[in-house]
Amino acid sequence: MAKQISIITFTGKLGNLIGYSRGGKHFLRSLPAKVRQTTATRRAARRFGIASKRGSLIRSAFSGLMDVRCDSGHVNRLTSALIPSAGGDTGSITAFRFNRHTGTDRFLTLSPKLSRNGILHIPPQTLPGFNGIHTLEIKVIAARIDFTTHQVVGTETAVLVVNAGESFKGAACDVDIPGKGTLVVVLQIKGLQNNMPSCNRKYLAADIIAVQPPQTLPVLHRQTYSKDPVFTPPSKEIEAPSPARTRFSFIQLE
């Protein structure tokens, strides 16, 4: 350890030297010739790298489709959620909030469920009322992500607007995007004031509500649904969409 006595001091790396301060005084030390990593540190670095890469792929799949602004720490939080399993168990990100200040459970007391055959069910329930919030915009965003090839295979979205503080009779949606990879479903809910989104972050939520890994075995007795995801009340049959339809669509109760 050497002390800096020059009029001009510095901190940080300069060539093979590192400047730093301690107790108001500046010192120098040389860079180590070789960084020794233990097996544990190498394993930790590898796990972090895998988690970081998968987290980046997940964010890129939804970044252009979500209308809710993420909090400043969502990148680190998503990576941290993937680190324990080295990114292998993507199910660990279920219930992840892109906006940590508000979750979709603030608006839906009964959580949506994704069945094995790719049908997302939103149970019937009474929606809570909020001061100044007249309607809720419910948006489902589904993405098929292949973590092996590091590609987003496909994405689809659907939007449904319902009245806040009233009875909701439920809905179902086929979100099974064709292709190989993991199916990740995000539910976004925004509180609307006179058909305009609230500026209050406590009325803006976007959560990962379901993660379905690639299925290696065929699902037997799958219920027949349209290939294009269609939201429909459970009491009505799903209508066949026109061939030109490429996005999710909704059928609401009268």
Side-chain angles (χ1 to χ4, degrees):
M1 178 178 67
K3 185 177 180 181
Q4 298 185 45
I5 59 174
S6 173
I7 298 177
I8 300 175
T9 58
F10 73 95
T11 59
K13 181 180 176 183
L14 179 63
N16 63 343
L17 297 175
I18 297 177
Y20 63 99
S21 62
R22 180 182 297 171
K25 297 180 180 180
H26 289 77
F27 301 90
L28 287 174
R29 67 178 178 222
S30 61
L31 283 171
K34 183 179 180 180
V35 177
R36 297 181 180 179
Q37 285 189 320
T38 64
T39 302
T41 56
R42 284 195 296 268
R43 186 184 300 114
R46 180 177 178 276
R47 289 159 70 94
F48 176 82
I50 294 174
S52 179
K53 193 170 186 178
R54 292 198 171 191
S56 176
L57 189 59
I58 292 170
R59 296 195 310 275
S60 68
F62 295 100
S63 61
L65 302 174
M66 290 193 306
D67 307 317
V68 170
R69 178 174 294 182
C70 303
D71 67 76
S72 60
H74 79 283
V75 174
N76 291 336
R77 290 191 297 106
L78 182 58
T79 300
S80 298
L82 291 164
I83 285 178
S85 60
D89 179 19
T90 48
S92 61
I93 61 175
T94 302
F96 176 82
R97 295 181 176 182
F98 287 96
N99 172 23
R100 64 182 177 84
H101 303 285
T102 308
T104 55
D105 55 354
R106 176 179 176 84
F107 308 97
L108 298 179
T109 55
L110 298 178
S111 303
K113 301 294 183 183
L114 180 65
S115 62
R116 290 191 61 192
N117 58 0
I119 308 301
L120 182 68
H121 300 272
I122 302 180
Q125 56 194 284
T126 299
L127 301 176
F130 304 97
N131 185 29
I133 299 298
H134 309 112
T135 53
L136 300 176
E137 182 190 89
I138 301 175
K139 184 175 184 179
V140 175
I141 311 169
R144 178 77 66 182
I145 304 174
D146 191 335
F147 292 107
T148 303
T149 60
H150 306 290
Q151 292 181 337
V152 178
V153 178
T155 59
E156 290 288 357
T157 63
V159 177
L160 174 67
V161 178
V162 296
N163 293 326
E166 296 185 4
S167 177
F168 172 61
K169 296 185 178 180
C173 181
D174 187 343
V175 297
D176 190 11
I177 297 176
K180 296 181 179 180
T182 300
L183 180 65
V184 182
V185 182
V186 168
L187 184 68
Q188 173 186 284
I189 302 181
K190 297 190 297 185
L192 305 182
Q193 298 174 321
N194 298 321
N195 297 322
M196 295 295 294
S198 170
C199 296
N200 193 327
R201 63 188 180 187
K202 69 180 182 179
Y203 298 127
L204 305 171
D207 301 349
I208 296 177
I209 60 169
V211 178
Q212 190 177 82
Q215 296 183 3
T216 56
L217 297 175
V219 178
L220 301 178
H221 308 298
R222 172 174 175 146
Q223 187 174 353
T224 302
Y225 280 84
S226 166
K227 290 184 179 180
D228 290 321
V230 178
F231 254 96
T232 180
S235 59
K236 290 187 177 181
E237 294 182 357
I238 294 180
E239 298 177 1
S242 61
R245 183 180 299 171
T246 57
R247 293 290 181 184
F248 292 3
S249 60
F250 294 87
I251 301 175
Q252 299 184 37
L253 286 173
E254 297 294 336

